[in-house]
Amino acid sequence: PTEMKDEAVAGFGIEEFQNVKELKAYCRMGLEENAQYNYEQNLMMSVLSGLVENSTFGELPEELLLQYEEDIKADLTSNAAMYGVDGATFVNYAYGADYDTFVTENAQYSTKMILAAQALAEKEGLLLKEEELNQRLEQLALDNGWESLDQLLSRFDKEELRESLMYEDVADLLLESAQVTQQ
């Protein structure tokens, strides 16, 4: 294999690195940040899954189930289109599952997750009031390179962002008492 030279790296015209050493450091930093993000997301999903598994549910609200079914179908259709197949083929190939069963089970699980998270958030006073939400979203916009909160909200639904922050807050609360083990 040919070894990369500093001149070739400088020729990329990217400010973050100008030589092989800087390129390697840049790549390593990106990989570490990605690994940390994935770890945090997996940890959050684990504690939220534990919340669902340890919760008792009555009849699930039909309207919420239907909304999640539609959202899941839209995501599957979008993902399937990238491979030039329909949703059923994609689900069978990617998950080894029947399309309708997959949609129904995931909609039920998503419904349970939001209900359990909302119940805990309400109990613990974690539901964001409008002013708190706007402050958190302004910080989120700044942290992610958006020019303003308005620009962020032109791309993302405010209520979906509220929900996402609630999940983070509930997961953080659960992690305070969780015992995390490495596998």
Side-chain angles (χ1 to χ4, degrees), residues 5-93:
K5 305 273 188 221
D6 288 344
E7 299 80 32
V9 172
F12 292 159
I14 300 174
E15 289 180 23
E16 287 82 5
F17 50 84
Q18 294 298 311
N19 57 51
V20 173
K21 183 178 179 181
E22 290 174 353
L23 171 61
K24 287 180 179 180
Y26 179 80
C27 291
R28 180 178 182 90
M29 182 181 67
L31 290 171
E32 288 173 352
E33 287 175 359
N34 189 47
Q36 182 64 32
Y37 174 80
N38 287 335
Y39 170 76
E40 290 170 2
Q41 291 300 304
N42 288 335
L43 194 58
M44 182 173 87
M45 289 310 296
S46 291
V47 295
L48 291 172
S49 292
L51 176 64
V52 171
E53 290 166 15
N54 292 301
S55 297
T56 304
F57 300 90
E59 188 173 338
L60 299 177
E62 190 66 27
E63 187 176 316
L64 194 54
L65 279 169
L66 291 173
Q67 182 58 54
Y68 277 116
E69 284 180 3
E70 292 306 312
D71 292 347
I72 291 165
K73 287 177 183 178
D75 286 344
L76 290 173
T77 299
S78 175
N79 288 334
M82 289 189 289
Y83 296 98
V85 298
D86 65 8
T89 303
F90 177 77
V91 168
N92 186 34
Y93 177 75

Side-chain angles (χ1 to χ4, degrees), residues 88-133:
T89 303
F90 177 77
V91 168
N92 186 34
Y93 177 75
Y95 303 104
D98 170 72
Y99 181 81
D100 291 329
T101 302
F102 182 87
V103 169
T104 299
E105 288 176 355
N106 280 280
Q108 289 172 347
Y109 187 80
S110 295
T111 301
K112 288 178 180 179
M113 186 174 284
I114 190 70
L115 293 173
Q118 283 177 334
L120 184 57
E122 187 173 324
K123 179 182 178 214
E124 297 295 330
L126 298 176
L127 295 177
L128 294 172
K129 294 179 176 52
E130 200 64 22
E131 185 178 326
E132 295 170 301
L133 176 64

